[in-house]
Amino acid sequence: MKRPIAGLMALSLFVAITGYMPKASAYQVYKCNGKTIKWPSSKIPVRMRSASVSFPSGAWRNALLEAVNSWNRNPSKFSFSLTYNDSSVRRQNGQNEIWFTSDDSLLNGAPARAFLRWRCPNLTEADIVFDNRVSYTTSTSKTLLWPYGGRNRPFQTTAMHELGHASGLRHENRYYNIMGQDWDHIHANASTARAYAGEDASHGSVFLYGVRSPQRQDVAVVHWKRSGSSGEYSTHRRTQMYNSSGSLLSSFTSSGEPVYRVNKGQRVQVEFTYENNGASTQRPRVGFYISTNNLITTFDTKIADVGFTLVRNTPYTAKNSVTIPSNLTPGRYYIGAIVDNNNRIGEIHESNNATYIAIQVN
Ligand SMILES: [Zn+2]
């Protein structure tokens, strides 16, 4: 089933949108008269005001704050601040506001939209609306979420997509990224899945606003990758497993997730997407592990260890060879990847360094 994806409508009383789409670099930004549209430094942090009715104290407010905080770990000088209890929200009032609505004249069929105004080349207003009829959840419990076979659209991924627009980023369809299809741009380890900005959007934010000082570093690994594009959006799917000659291994779905069939002692290739969401090029070690559960830690059994060079540009989806231990009792296991498994990089976010793929060992 094709699901609706988050939309954007960019409006300006002063300029028309141009069709400029840079070809060589990652991310996409807005342009007016050949200039890049962004917030002037005097407006950063950009204050976003949440509506009192839509975001009373509690789960929805906390989820919105979680999305803002996740954006605020980006390596650029850009950040948001979030205020509460705005009792009068509307477009074109000079304030940046966030609210839930069922107004189809605003939503135009999208589950959420961002509205931007600018006075070339400076952004002057960003408003975000969410459709209150969408099956959003604020839960980070994986089994509730669309990307893991659940019934709910993760609110935080959609919020981060719209906040990305509010920071000056356009849709991007060439890479695994939050400005493409947002709901399966997510990091999971064990039963928790959390939204994050990701490498491409972090790179774009640095392009727009420069690197923050002191520098922030962050590397990550996820079991998602780009699968294609749908209009302006990248589409994503789970990373996969292959035999030693590169053919896809057979798999089945269990609890909404793929499980690959492997044999004891088999040499296989395991695929993950590695990201550098930080300021500087990193050369982390990446360890691969066998685990009896989907919580991947360095206490699991290491089966391979390789060196990676991760430049901040676009996410890196790679296959690595590992051998399934021949002493395993047949049954369900997980192959884990841990980036910076020797913990040499001081990171602003250490909880996105490990993820898994399920296997059924024969
Ligand atoms: Zn969008």
Side-chain angles (χ1 to χ4, degrees), residues 5-9 30 110 112-114 158 161-162 164-165 169-172 178-180 182 232-233:
I5 41 189
L8 166 80
M9 182 169 174
Y30 300 96
R113 289 188 100 169
T158 307
H161 177 106
E162 302 307 334
H165 285 315
L169 296 173
R170 285 179 79 156
H171 293 144
E172 166 61 64
I178 191 70
M179 299 313 294
D182 66 80
E232 296 183 347
Y233 301 83

Side-chain angles (χ1 to χ4, degrees), residues 32-291:
C32 58
N33 304 332
K35 295 175 182 163
T36 298
I37 298 173
K38 59 183 181 176
W39 293 98
S41 58
S42 61
K43 292 282 184 137
I44 298 171
V46 170
R47 177 187 290 192
M48 303 299 297
R49 303 163 188 262
S50 60
S52 52
V53 173
S54 303
F55 297 96
S57 99
W60 293 98
R61 178 185 290 185
N62 292 344
L64 184 60
L65 182 60
E66 185 184 328
V68 165
N69 287 341
S70 190
W71 262 112
N72 287 351
R73 289 193 285 263
N74 84 80
S76 82
K77 292 171 182 162
F78 183 85
S79 65
F80 292 106
S81 66
L82 182 64
T83 66
Y84 310 114
N85 298 323
D86 190 327
S87 58
S88 172
V89 290
R90 60 183 177 87
R91 288 174 54 198
Q92 302 184 17
N93 64 355
Q95 297 184 340
N96 310 316
E97 293 160 330
I98 307 177
W99 69 99
F100 273 95
T101 184
S102 58
D103 182 345
D104 288 316
S105 70
L106 284 177
L107 292 160
N108 197 27
R113 289 188 100 169
F115 300 91
L116 302 184
R117 298 175 82 202
W118 57 75
R119 184 185 293 268
C120 186
N122 291 329
L123 282 168
T124 58
E125 183 174 344
D127 294 306
I128 296 171
V129 295
F130 296 94
D131 187 338
N132 61 16
R133 299 159 298 186
V134 169
S135 64
Y136 287 118
T137 180
T138 62
S139 174
T140 57
S141 179
K142 202 176 59 179
T143 55
L144 295 178
L145 307 177
W146 279 356
Y148 297 95
R151 300 173 64 91
N152 298 102
R153 184 182 183 117
F155 173 75
Q156 286 91 326
T157 60
T158 307
M160 291 199 69
H161 177 106
E162 302 307 334
L163 287 165
H165 285 315
S167 78
L169 296 173
R170 285 179 79 156
H171 293 144
E172 166 61 64
N173 65 12
R174 297 166 297 173
Y175 309 100
Y176 165 76
N177 83 107
I178 191 70
M179 299 313 294
Q181 181 165 279
D182 66 80
W183 54 264
D184 49 13
H185 182 278
I186 197 162
H187 175 269
N189 194 14
S191 58
T192 302
R194 291 192 185 279
Y196 71 113
E199 178 165 344
D200 190 66
S202 297
H203 197 41
S205 195
V206 169
F207 168 78
L208 288 172
Y209 301 105
V211 171
R212 170 184 296 263
S213 178
Q215 290 190 354
R216 291 170 168 175
Q217 308 302 340
D218 182 48
V219 290
V221 59
V222 292
H223 54 208
W224 295 97
K225 64 177 179 178
R226 179 182 180 273
S227 56
S229 61
S230 174
E232 296 183 347
Y233 301 83
S234 55
T235 56
H236 310 144
R237 61 159 297 151
R238 292 288 291 265
T239 58
Q240 294 167 289
M241 282 185 64
Y242 308 83
N243 67 17
S244 56
S245 50
S247 298
L248 197 60
L249 291 172
S250 73
S251 64
F252 57 96
T253 299
S254 174
S255 300
E257 299 197 69
V259 182
Y260 286 87
R261 298 182 191 279
V262 301
N263 298 316
K264 288 189 289 185
Q266 186 179 359
R267 190 80 170 154
V268 298
Q269 297 182 59
V270 61
E271 181 182 58
F272 292 99
T273 296
Y274 303 88
E275 294 180 90
N276 181 343
N277 307 314
S280 314
T281 295
Q282 301 292 345
R283 293 180 177 79
R285 299 300 299 182
V286 174
F288 298 97
Y289 298 79
I290 288 283
S291 175

Side-chain angles (χ1 to χ4, degrees), residues 16-23 28-33 170:
I17 300 168
T18 70
Y20 182 85
M21 297 285 263
K23 289 285 191 290
Q28 302 282 4
V29 297
Y30 300 96
K31 294 275 183 176
C32 58
N33 304 332
R170 285 179 79 156

Side-chain angles (χ1 to χ4, degrees), residues 287-352:
F288 298 97
Y289 298 79
I290 288 283
S291 175
T292 54
N293 55 47
N294 61 9
L295 172 63
I296 306 302
T297 74
T298 52
F299 294 109
D300 293 315
T301 303
K302 191 161 74 175
I303 55 172
D305 195 303
V306 298
F308 273 50
T309 296
L310 299 178
V311 178
R312 174 175 35 79
N313 45 27
T314 54
Y316 177 51
T317 300
K319 299 172 191 166
N320 284 85
S321 293
V322 299
T323 300
I324 305 302
S326 52
N327 61 352
L328 294 180
T329 304
R332 182 71 50 82
Y333 294 87
Y334 298 82
I335 294 187
I338 304 180
V339 59
D340 192 35
N341 62 333
N342 54 358
N343 202 22
R344 294 289 172 84
I345 305 170
E347 300 177 60
I348 189 166
H349 192 46
E350 293 282 7
S351 59
N352 57 7

